[in-house]
Amino acid sequence: MSTHLTTARLSSRLTDVPPANRHEPRRAKSSTSDYSVTEFLRDFPDDAACLEHLWRTRHSPDGEHAHCPRCDTERRFKRYETKQHRQSWTCTACGHHVHPTAGTIFHRSSTSLRLWFHAMYLMTSTRCGISAKQLERELGVHYKTAWRMFNKIRNELMTEGELTSTLKGEVEIDETSWGGKPRRKFRTRSESVRFAEAKPTILGMVERGGRVRLRVIESRRGEPLSSAVRAHLDPAAFMLTDDWIAYKPLRREYAHAVINHSAGSYVVGNVHTNTIEGFFGNLKTGMRGAYKKVSRKWLQSYLDEYAWRYNNRHSGQRSMFHALVNEAARQ
Ligand SMILES: [Zn+2]
């Protein structure tokens, strides 16, 4: 034992390795982590820090000057606590109070800002999302509170407004159904189609190298499918789908390439739907892992969460977290 230690000490002296800094662990160059939980907690240790961040993001980049709506000009503001222990900033000229949480999802919440921020951190730093059950454990809050927080974040911060632009360029489109697997093997194709159609259908559209859009649609046939495509696809976009019959009427409106899955081919040159199929694969594995069962009622909001993460995938954990906080501040 002691010889081991001596050898180790000796070799470390010989190679002259500086002792690792235990407080600043180093990341590998290939690491995709750029915002560890330690760093997050250092930035947002308490409610005051979160509130200060909102104040600066929403009203005052320098933390001191802001536009006073009552004076209708830029004024100096001072932070102070109201009689109800509410933190606010007050205009030094007219006494007008500004509450940085007003109008946001945090407003009048009985959950502390620090916990809201932590929940948003977890939602942006996990690949597949985390369950309310897990949040309940991590934050030490009631399950209902955890669920409500996630629901608010998903439904109010992660939905892509319908106003955002339509999908452009080469867009792969595919549909899949969400729900359990059949208990037995089906004998006929129509039997398996009927089983699939009883479950919610997800329409997925992805720009190659770009954004994804996911929609729960009424049916994988006819008008529900084609109107969803029309709503999200730029008229000049190039559609890539499999040979499912419901895409056929759209050929009159869009340039369209078809990969003939029923004839057993999956890639012909540039024609394939591997991006969207790969996405669906990850989506299902991830959702089953994190959320187990998701009801039809909430499916769209979970899809929005997945799409949101995918669409922000190149920006890194830190900016993803800030993108979400900014979204909250924008409201
Ligand atoms: Zn004022």
Side-chain angles (χ1 to χ4, degrees):
M1 193 65 190
S2 65
T3 24
H4 264 193
L5 273 176
T6 336
T7 334
R9 237 175 255 155
L10 197 67
S11 68
S12 93
R13 206 171 301 153
L14 284 177
T15 49
D16 209 21
V17 179
N21 182 349
R22 289 191 288 174
H23 304 290
E24 295 288 345
R26 283 216 222 137
R27 295 181 170 96
K29 276 213 180 87
S30 59
S31 170
T32 52
S33 146
D34 72 351
Y35 203 34
S36 70
V37 68
T38 320
E39 289 163 316
F40 163 73
L41 290 173
R42 204 179 293 159
D43 289 349
F44 301 100
D46 48 28
D47 278 6
C50 301
L51 197 68
E52 176 80 28
H53 184 81
L54 280 181
W55 162 247
R56 284 170 182 263
T57 315
R58 302 191 76 195
H59 303 284
S60 170
D62 72 351
E64 206 183 341
H65 298 86
H67 180 87
C68 173
R70 200 192 286 166
C71 303
D72 198 23
T73 182
E74 180 158 305
R75 294 287 193 201
R76 206 164 70 78
F77 276 72
K78 258 196 136 136
R79 180 176 184 158
Y80 99 119
E81 201 178 340
T82 61
K83 280 195 193 101
Q84 297 82 31
H85 300 292
R86 253 187 105 191
Q87 297 281 329
S88 75
W89 274 258
T90 306
C91 170
T92 50
C94 74
H96 177 72
H97 296 318
V98 173
H99 299 278
T101 56
T104 68
I105 58 167
F106 319 118
H107 189 50
R108 294 190 194 286
S109 167
S110 54
T111 308
S112 74
L113 261 187
R114 184 178 62 83
L115 295 181
W116 274 108
F117 274 51
H118 202 139
M120 294 195 290
Y121 170 77
L122 291 171
M123 280 175 105
T124 51
S125 64
T126 48
R127 278 278 156 80
C128 305
I130 78 164
S131 64
K133 204 74 203 149
Q134 181 67 21
L135 188 70
E136 174 193 5
R137 285 190 288 264
E138 292 215 22
L139 301 188
V141 294
H142 199 283
Y143 176 74
K144 275 190 179 162
T145 310
W147 194 89
R148 252 198 311 261
M149 287 168 90
F150 273 170
N151 200 41
K152 275 230 150 143
I153 295 171
R154 250 180 230 124
N155 284 303
E156 299 195 27
L157 307 184
M158 287 175 150
T159 49
E160 224 187 340
E162 298 296 331
L163 297 169
T164 52
S165 67
T166 46
L167 302 173
K168 294 177 177 66
E170 295 178 334
V171 181
E172 294 179 25
I173 304 179
D174 196 11
E175 74 298 322
T176 189
S177 43
W178 168 254
K181 289 205 170 83
R183 294 228 181 92
R184 58 183 177 87
K185 213 167 183 288
F186 295 119
R187 266 162 303 189
T188 60
R189 195 188 144 101
S190 68
E191 218 182 356
S192 74
V193 167
R194 225 176 306 134
F195 180 80
E197 285 183 0
K199 300 191 285 183
T201 300
I202 302 169
L203 182 71
M205 297 160 272
V206 65
E207 292 173 334
R208 286 192 175 161
R211 302 162 297 165
V212 73
R213 208 59 67 82
L214 302 167
R215 284 294 176 276
V216 180
I217 53 175
E218 280 304 309
S219 157
R220 59 179 62 214
R221 296 169 184 277
E223 200 46 34
L225 181 132
S226 42
S227 62
V229 171
R230 266 184 223 112
H232 296 282
L233 207 60
D234 191 80
F238 185 75
M239 250 173 84
L240 298 121
T241 69
D242 60 18
D243 53 337
W244 175 235
I245 190 140
Y247 294 112
K248 233 178 167 180
L250 290 158
R251 303 200 82 157
R252 273 173 267 142
E253 300 156 60
Y254 292 97
H256 186 195
V258 176
I259 187 78
N260 202 346
H261 283 180
S262 21
S265 51
Y266 287 86
V267 181
V268 175
N270 200 22
V271 182
H272 62 80
T273 50
N274 292 353
T275 322
I276 189 66
E277 283 168 49
F279 181 90
F280 278 154
N282 293 338
L283 174 84
K284 288 183 171 181
T285 317
M287 294 236 298
R288 281 199 192 105
Y291 309 122
K292 312 290 188 278
K293 278 187 178 162
V294 171
S295 67
R296 193 184 283 259
K297 183 178 176 199
W298 298 112
L299 183 58
Q300 183 63 55
S301 67
Y302 285 86
L303 297 179
D304 287 340
E305 181 190 340
Y306 266 76
W308 191 91
R309 261 196 301 267
Y310 182 87
N311 294 338
N312 286 279
R313 68 197 179 280
H314 296 307
S315 53
Q317 280 172 288
R318 186 187 293 267
S319 13
M320 255 164 97
F321 169 74
H322 280 104
L324 201 58
V325 174
N326 288 342
E327 190 57 40
R330 218 164 52 86
Q331 292 179 329

